[in-house]
Amino acid sequence: MKDNARIRALFKQSWSMSWQMSMIMLFVFFIGIADVYVAGRLGKDIQAAYGIAFQLYFIFSIIASALTVGTVSLVSRLFTSGRREEFDTAVDSSFIASVAAGLVFALLGVVFSPAIIAWLHIPHALKAFVVPLTRVYSFGLLFNYILFNTNGILRACGQIGKSLLTMAIVCSLNVVLNLALALKTPLGFLGIGVATVISIFAGSMINSLRVKKIMSGALTFSMAAIKKIVAISWPAGLLQVLWQLGTMSLFLILSRLPKYNIEILAAFTNGLKIESAIFLPAFAFNMAAAVVVGNILGKSERQDAFSAGVVTAMIGVAIVSAMTVLVMFNARAIAAFLSPDPIVIEECVKYIYISLLAEPFMAWGVILAGALNGAGDTKSVMAIVAACVWAVRIPLSFLLAIYFGLGAVSVWWAMNISILIQTVFISRRYFSRRWIAHSEKTFELRAEA
């Protein structure tokens, strides 16, 4: 009876965090789907160019994502540990570091994105669209870094509802501005990027005011706190780099196909956005697991921390599986909504039918990886995922699609194979429980006997 009550309590705690994170990810999805919809109305070239530009934007945002992983892991632990002074210092230091990093990458993006795009072997016809769109996105990087950081601080401190409200505002602004600026003004396709910059700026300012109330007063910067955050963050950052470069490599592989390469690139862009309707809830549970496990480990409750990760993963897999079936049954209608081009629609439908078969396995591995991240065990997650992308996904995609000439479909199957292998190794690491002892050593917290 006591065990059942404990599991119910963990379920309630996980669900309370997870459903709100899922709503945040739903808003993120609506932002992305609005981008793709508007790009599709402007033409398949714009849609393909948007996909490449957005991947570059993600690459420039990697440090923001990585710092947030470290911030959530440290702040969530300190929030429940009673160490108020260390908590204040960690919050202040992470905010300052995010602002500094955002300024640096905004500058780098504006200055060097044309050279990066010129170096990439993408169809020449797309470069005229990719370069200016990427530069517009780069102007918003500072605000994106602040938004990432403040959202992480709010959820680590049990104030995810405030983060949810902010993202609802960001989503509404982005969708309205997207339709207005890109379709109704001379900005044209650049309006997609401008809408993103304006909406993220608004969200970053709202969240900054919320986080200011959590802070102790005058900002204090601690290199010791930053070292702890960076020690957790750098594997997550490197993983994001390798993951995004892996996705970009798939774009480049697909661009080398001898037939319908632009249509396939557009279909891949659309397929990724459709898949994100399922992936983002899984990622929401990933982030929820990080906070829940971090909070519980802050109280030195080892068994509950382990069980919380499993419970959160089970909830997530059930939801993702239901969503997968729903999307697969409506694949053609969804693909037609995003593009009027018949070839793009057909290729997108193939992507959905094949890639979504691996979604439940992806969800299980991603959510357990979130629990490992919350415990500070980011190195093992990085090693497993990076190996599966670069030792399996990319070489297998190139071998099948280009060397053997099996086309885009073989790339989708290579992606599935890499996900299955990744899930097996993440599960093996989690159930070994070695990450619990590693976590206690990393944070120098005493575990209960």
Side-chain angles (χ1 to χ4, degrees), residues 4 88 222 316 413:
N4 289 338
D88 291 337
S222 167
W413 282 112

Side-chain angles (χ1 to χ4, degrees), residues 9-27:
L10 291 174
F11 179 93
K12 184 177 180 180
Q13 184 179 3
S14 295
W15 177 246
S16 176
M17 176 68 65
S18 299
W19 80 261
Q20 294 183 85
M21 279 306 312
S22 295
M23 289 300 298
I24 290 174
M25 292 297 99
L26 182 62
F27 291 136

Side-chain angles (χ1 to χ4, degrees), residues 228-359:
K228 279 190 175 181
I229 291 173
V230 170
I232 300 168
S233 297
W234 77 259
L238 180 58
L239 173 58
Q240 286 294 316
V241 170
L242 295 173
W243 180 270
Q244 294 303 328
L245 289 177
T247 303
M248 181 60 69
S249 296
L250 292 180
F251 271 99
L252 297 178
I253 289 170
L254 294 171
S255 71
R256 294 185 59 178
L257 294 176
K259 189 176 181 181
Y260 300 130
N261 61 344
I262 290 180
E263 287 85 354
I264 289 171
L265 286 171
F268 186 41
T269 297
N270 295 356
L272 289 175
K273 289 300 179 184
I274 295 167
E275 190 178 13
S276 71
I278 300 169
F279 178 78
L280 288 179
F283 193 56
F285 280 83
N286 164 288
M287 291 187 285
V291 174
V292 171
V293 170
N295 285 160
I296 294 174
L297 285 175
K299 297 181 285 187
S300 297
E301 297 173 356
R302 294 170 136 201
Q303 181 56 41
D304 281 357
F306 173 84
S307 299
V310 175
V311 169
T312 305
M314 291 175 67
I315 301 170
V317 169
I319 293 174
V320 164
S321 298
M323 292 182 66
T324 297
V325 172
L326 183 64
V327 171
M328 291 182 77
F329 272 106
N330 294 278
R332 189 165 296 277
I334 296 171
F337 173 75
L338 293 178
S339 175
D341 188 286
I343 298 175
V344 174
I345 293 171
E346 195 61 38
E347 293 298 330
C348 187
V349 169
K350 292 177 185 177
Y351 177 86
I352 292 171
Y353 285 154
I354 295 172
S355 66
L356 266 59
L357 293 173
E359 292 301 300

Side-chain angles (χ1 to χ4, degrees), residues 116-189:
I116 294 171
I117 293 162
W119 174 76
L120 294 175
H121 295 289
I122 61 176
H124 184 73
L126 298 182
K127 291 185 179 181
F129 304 117
V130 177
V131 170
L133 190 54
T134 303
R135 296 190 85 170
V136 170
Y137 276 126
S138 297
F139 279 106
L141 282 170
L142 169 61
F143 312 122
N144 198 35
Y145 271 64
I146 294 173
L147 188 61
F148 263 94
N149 175 261
T150 51
N151 274 336
I153 292 171
L154 288 171
R155 67 176 178 266
C157 297
Q159 298 186 31
I160 190 172
K162 294 180 179 179
S163 180
L164 174 59
L165 180 59
T166 296
M167 293 309 297
I169 295 170
V170 171
C171 174
S172 301
L173 266 177
N174 186 277
V175 172
V176 171
L177 290 174
N178 228 325
L179 295 170
L181 297 178
L183 299 180
K184 304 293 185 182
T185 75
L187 282 172
F189 72 96

Side-chain angles (χ1 to χ4, degrees), residues 62 74 82 84 98 111 173 221 223 270 278 326 387 420 432 435:
I62 281 169
L74 180 60
R84 180 69 202 191
S98 293
V111 174
L173 266 177
F221 182 81
M223 186 54 69
N270 295 356
I278 300 169
L326 183 64
L420 291 174
S432 74
W435 52 274

